[in-house]
Amino acid sequence: MKGRFSVRFFKRVITFTVLGIILALLVTVIIQALRIGSLKEGVLNGTAHAYAESQPMDYQKKYPELYVENQFEKLKAETKTVYLTFDDGPSKENTRKILDILEEYEIKATFFMVHNGNKVADEIIQRVIDEGHTIGIHTYSHDYEEVYQSVESYLDDFNKLWSNLKERFGYEAKIFRFPGGSINAYNLAVYDKIIPEMYRRGFLYYDWNASAEDAMDSGASKEQIVKAILREVRRNDRSIVLMHDSSYMGTTVEALPEIIETLKEEGYTFKALDETVKPVSFARL
Ligand SMILES: [Zn+2]
């Protein structure tokens, strides 16, 4: 009798423990969702500053020049619009080819750049600006471990490229993209601090809802890229398309004319992102 009672007792203890853990997890998830939800509301109706001021941090004092004007309350979401975005450039192999294609089809696009300080990079940056495309910051180093160490290290890296573009090219970048997107395996501990700080400084970030899937180790063929992008764009009201402008992405360039021609025929309009466009964001912040 005593033995049976003990087994039953332990079973109950285990059941209650498991239930307790599940309940605790649920409560945590709900609290987090509510907090993120209210922060997003705050950002989009222009009270991001108030939120950040209510939690003063030392990093808010860094880089007093690193601010841009914003009008977050006026963001627009135009349907049947496609925003082509090219990450990781400028590359001396591909950026000029991409620019030639964009020029031929008379469309504007967005380049989320990293630092590539050679002479060709300077010429490319100038051409991107002259031809009316948008430049966004994609970090200076693109080194995940370094930039996602803390809010400070993110700001240090961001400011290097941002101030460089401003001082040397007179270009004030107002938008950015996180390496790996706004939530990734490297930034879980800091993304919910970096995002409000960047909003407070007036910057908007853009993730994507269509991907060329051209950043896989195995590489992607021209056909795979065309197929991946068309499939996702046709599913969306409006699309922010992730593509890569790095040296080894020749197939992305090859895929571009077919993507543009097909979507133009289907009635889509191509535009460059700017700070008036409502972002697509994974983090919901
Ligand atoms: Zn990247």
Side-chain angles (χ1 to χ4, degrees), residues 87-88 112 114 138-139 142 144 177-180 242 244:
D87 286 12
D88 302 350
F112 288 105
V114 295
H138 191 44
T139 68
H142 207 279
Y144 286 51
R177 172 170 287 157
F178 287 100
L242 170 70
H244 288 85

Side-chain angles (χ1 to χ4, degrees), residues 113-127:
M113 290 187 177
V114 295
H115 171 68
N116 191 349
N118 57 48
K119 196 163 183 310
V120 187
D122 283 359
E123 284 168 22
I124 294 171
I125 291 170
Q126 193 58 58
R127 186 173 161 198

